[in-house]
């Protein structure tokens, strides 16, 4: 049985050189064989030209000599092909020794715990790079020609694809670990999976590192600092107005719904104001350096301000988004209850022998429907939570032979997409603290809720994963505490928590690039 890892294994560019050489040699030998064999065999079997003219056959000695030459060609080709295959096999064994560090290679195996730590670190690091790259390419699109920016957008999409594959593999590995299983026969699946995750992340990081210098030339922040500052200051005024609107929206949500309904965004307006405080400080510094003609320092402080401004906007948008989702859930809840009641009634109408296996599900559905009816009648409630419970109860009765009853997928999508968007915003604005586990669950939820028609089972699974991602991220933030940042002035703690400033020794702003280049402006961040 073929290991499932082989279907997702990335290709390492350097290791392909020996393979391509071997393939070229083998191809050349085969092509030579196709050209030589017909000539050799023709010489062995055909009459000599002069003999044809005379109506007689060639002399036996000449025929024997030509036949001997033709007989030697196939063995020679076979030997050459075997040699090429030997070179190819040696190259494969050498690469395996170098990349897998097998005992036969004279090097000790990297401990699985160390591989696991490295894979987790690289997932977080690469995810941060991709997020910052998406942020800065969006900003660059406002002031750069599309054709000049396109190669760097393409590189970013390639990195995103590699990262998505790594997250998918990490999710499968976590699921196998939870079930006490291995991903491949022979017990080597965990090592292969971790090595594959590491390789994909490293490839994505190198791609962005290579593109970073060219991206800087296209964006040219150092030369265009004044124009970019004016754009950022305009965005600042716009975001500040939206934060004030978000505060009013939060007050309205507190009046209309239960406290739990707005809990996911309870502190978002305050965090957005903290990011704006940081933005104000660094826009001012960027302006001062630009006036002095120091483009490098102006660009560094501008990048810090841009990152904080983007997160302030995301936090304000999150409040408005949740308000719209709560309104949508409240509007859809009566229809969801009606559909669940129809499913319950259809299940009750089944023959006793068919209904016997549904007793537990029917009881659960009735309890949920009763609780939701009571909550909605009592006053302010959480319509997203109520809609989620009703959809799950209806899903338990769908496909049980209870007639043509809707499965409630449309109702289940509302809370699932809300949970996904909320988890994505929280992780993105707290990425300096959030680890790989939460990000892996988020990536899997996003994959399940991708484009196209999504089965009900995957909608419910994505909802669970998104909420788990949020819980894990909140746990990571609590463990991380409230960093001071050490550098960057007012609001620097929130900027480090948000991954706007690196928490390492450089402590500078992040930019488009891979792990090696993303902090390149840190040297000018003083």
């Amino acid at each position: 049985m073929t290991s499932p890892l082989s279907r997702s294994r990335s290709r390492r560019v350097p290791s392909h050189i020996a393979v391509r050489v071997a393939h070229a040699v083998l191809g050349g030998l085969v092509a030579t064989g196709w050209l030589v064999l017909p000539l050799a065999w023709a010489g062995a079997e055909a009459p000599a030209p002069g003999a044809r003219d005379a109506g007689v056959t060639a002399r036996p000695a000449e025929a024997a000599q030509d036949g001997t030459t033709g007989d030697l060609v196939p063995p020679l080709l076979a030997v050459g092909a075997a040699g090429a295959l030997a070179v190819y096999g040696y190259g494969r064994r050498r690469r395996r020794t170098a990349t897998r560090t097998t005992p036969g290679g004279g090097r000790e195996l990297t401990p699985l715990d160390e591989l696991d730590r490295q894979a987790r670190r690289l997932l977080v690091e690469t995810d941060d790079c991709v997020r910052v790259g998406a942020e800065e390419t969006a900003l660059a699109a406002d002031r750069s020609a599309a054709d000049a920016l396109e190669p760097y957008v393409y590189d970013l999409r390639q990195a995103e694809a590699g990262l998505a594959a790594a997250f998918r593999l990490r999710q499968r590995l976590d699921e196998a670990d939870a079930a006490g299983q291995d991903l491949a026969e022979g017990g080597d699946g965990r090592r292969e999976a971790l090595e594959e995750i590491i390789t994909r992340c490293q490839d994505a990081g190198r791609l962005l590192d290579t593109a970073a210098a060219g991206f800087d030339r296209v964006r040219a922040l150092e030369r265009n600092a004044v124009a970019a500052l004016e754009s950022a200051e305009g965005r600042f005024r716009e975001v500040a107005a939206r934060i004030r609107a978000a505060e009013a929206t939060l007050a309205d949500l507190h009046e209309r719904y239960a406290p739990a309904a707005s809990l996911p965004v309870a502190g978002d307006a305050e965090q957005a104001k903290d990011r704006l405080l940081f933005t104000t400080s660094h826009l001012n510094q960027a302006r001062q350096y630009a006036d002095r003609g120091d483009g490098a320092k102006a660009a560094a402080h501008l990048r810090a301000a841009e990152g904080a401004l983007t997160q302030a906007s995301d936090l304000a948008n999150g409040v408005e988004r949740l308000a719209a989702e709560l309104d949508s859930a409240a509007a859809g809840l009566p229809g969801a209850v009606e559909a669940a009641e129809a499913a319950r009634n259809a299940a009750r109408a089944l023959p006793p022998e068919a209904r016997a296996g549904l007793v537990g599900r029917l009881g659960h559905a009735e309890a949920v429907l009763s609780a939701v009816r009571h909550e909605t009648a009592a006053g302010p409630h959480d319509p997203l939570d109520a809609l989620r419970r009703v959809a799950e109860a209806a899903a338990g009765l769908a496909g049980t032979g209870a007639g043509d009853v809707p499965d409630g997928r449309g109702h289940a999508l509302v809370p699932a997409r809300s949970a996904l968007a909320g988890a994505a915003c929280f992780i993105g604005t707290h990425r300096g603290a959030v680890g790989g586990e939460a990000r892996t669950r988020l990536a899997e939820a996003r994959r399940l809720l991708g484009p196209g028609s999504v089965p009900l089972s995957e909608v419910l699974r994505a909802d669970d994963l998104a909420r788990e991602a949020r819980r894990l991220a909140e746990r990571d933030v609590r463990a991380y505490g409230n960093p001071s940042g050490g550098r960057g002035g007012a609001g620097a703690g929130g900027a480090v928590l948000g991954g706007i400033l690196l928490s390492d020794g450089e402590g500078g702003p992040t930019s488009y690039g891979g792990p090696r280049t993303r902090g390149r402006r840190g040297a000018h961040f003083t």
Side-chain angles (χ1 to χ4, degrees):
M1 178 179 175
T2 302
S3 166
L5 292 174
S6 63
R7 295 193 295 269
S8 64
R9 182 164 295 136
S10 66
R11 297 180 178 181
R12 306 175 191 183
V13 175
S15 67
H16 275 275
I17 296 175
V19 175
R20 289 172 180 169
V21 170
H23 284 175
V25 172
L26 182 58
L29 289 170
V30 171
T32 302
W34 280 108
L35 292 172
V36 172
L37 280 174
L39 297 175
W41 286 333
E45 297 174 2
R52 279 199 303 269
D53 295 339
V56 296
T57 61
R59 292 189 301 271
E62 292 175 353
Q65 183 179 5
D66 290 345
T68 302
T69 303
D71 291 343
L72 287 175
V73 171
L76 289 173
L77 289 175
V79 170
L85 290 173
V87 171
Y88 173 75
Y90 173 75
R92 285 195 63 185
R93 287 194 298 273
R94 185 174 180 183
R95 289 195 310 277
R96 186 176 179 87
T97 298
T99 59
R100 294 290 312 282
T101 62
T102 55
R107 299 167 60 187
E108 294 183 1
L109 285 169
T110 302
L112 282 174
D113 288 347
E114 175 58 30
L115 280 179
D116 186 68
R117 283 191 293 270
Q118 187 179 359
R120 291 178 186 273
R121 177 182 61 79
L122 285 170
L123 278 172
V124 170
E125 193 172 71
T126 309
D127 189 41
D128 284 347
C129 291
V130 166
R131 288 173 182 273
V132 173
E135 169 200 311
E136 197 171 2
T137 51
L139 292 170
D142 292 338
R143 305 190 58 83
S144 302
D147 57 344
L149 196 59
E150 193 276 333
Y152 307 103
V153 174
Y154 176 81
D155 287 343
L156 179 63
R157 296 292 175 264
Q158 293 296 106
E160 286 176 340
L163 176 63
F167 272 130
R168 176 64 182 135
L169 194 53
R170 180 79 237 189
Q171 177 67 25
R172 291 172 55 206
L173 180 59
D174 290 348
E175 290 171 354
D177 288 347
Q181 300 173 350
D182 197 79
L183 286 178
E185 294 179 352
D188 204 26
R190 181 173 180 78
R191 179 175 294 278
E192 289 186 9
L194 292 172
E195 290 174 344
E196 184 70 13
I197 291 168
I198 290 168
T199 297
R200 286 190 178 274
C201 290
Q202 288 174 336
D203 288 348
R206 280 193 292 266
L207 182 63
L208 294 176
D209 277 330
T210 302
F215 180 84
D216 283 349
R217 286 192 294 272
V218 170
R219 196 167 186 215
L221 272 186
E222 290 80 0
R223 294 197 311 272
N224 303 321
V226 174
L229 267 167
E230 291 174 354
S231 176
E233 288 165 350
R235 288 182 61 226
F236 177 92
R237 291 187 289 271
E238 175 194 342
V239 173
R242 285 198 282 122
I243 292 174
R244 290 191 293 271
E247 290 180 302
T249 299
L250 269 175
D252 181 59
L253 293 179
H254 292 154
E255 292 181 3
R256 295 170 55 203
Y257 299 112
S262 58
L263 187 60
V265 297
D268 284 11
E270 291 302 316
Q271 288 192 58
K273 288 192 287 187
D274 182 70
R275 299 295 194 276
L276 276 192
L277 181 65
F278 180 86
T279 302
T280 301
S281 172
H282 289 280
L283 282 178
N284 289 337
Q285 292 185 67
R287 175 66 69 181
Q288 292 170 10
Y289 284 119
D291 291 343
R292 297 175 194 169
D294 193 337
K297 288 188 176 181
H301 287 276
L302 178 58
R303 269 304 301 141
E306 287 177 339
L309 194 56
T310 297
Q311 290 195 8
S313 177
D314 290 343
L315 290 162
N317 290 343
V319 174
E320 302 297 344
R321 184 201 68 248
L322 180 62
E325 291 163 349
L326 287 167
D327 289 346
S328 176
L333 185 56
V337 170
E338 183 179 345
E341 288 175 339
R344 178 204 58 192
N345 294 337
R348 283 177 175 174
L350 291 171
E353 61 273 13
R355 194 172 63 247
L358 301 177
V359 174
R361 294 190 224 179
L362 279 168
H364 173 69
E366 186 57 57
V368 168
L369 291 170
S370 176
V372 169
R373 283 193 295 265
H374 174 75
E375 292 168 10
T376 54
H381 59 284
D382 182 352
L384 277 170
D385 179 66
L387 185 60
R388 173 181 289 114
R389 287 181 287 142
V390 170
E392 289 174 348
L397 299 176
T400 59
D404 187 17
V405 177
D407 64 5
R409 182 178 46 144
H411 297 129
L413 275 170
V414 176
R417 286 175 174 158
S418 175
L420 177 62
C425 181
F426 185 87
I427 291 174
T429 55
H430 298 78
R431 62 176 180 259
V434 177
E437 193 174 3
R439 298 172 193 241
T440 300
R441 303 298 176 268
L442 176 67
E444 182 67 3
R446 183 180 287 121
R447 186 189 71 83
L448 292 174
L449 285 181
S453 180
V454 183
L456 176 61
S457 60
E458 293 191 359
V459 173
L460 298 176
R461 175 64 174 152
D463 191 5
D464 289 341
L465 285 166
R467 288 185 290 152
E468 182 184 2
R470 177 67 181 257
R471 288 193 297 269
L472 291 168
E474 290 175 347
R475 178 202 65 186
D476 291 344
V477 171
R478 287 193 299 271
Y480 192 73
N482 184 22
S484 64
R487 299 175 67 180
V496 173
L497 181 65
I500 299 161
L501 297 181
L502 293 172
S503 59
D504 58 15
E506 291 294 327
T510 52
S511 301
Y512 180 107
R516 187 172 51 81
T517 58
R518 60 175 176 162
R520 58 190 177 276
R521 299 191 190 278
H524 304 287
F525 191 70
T526 56

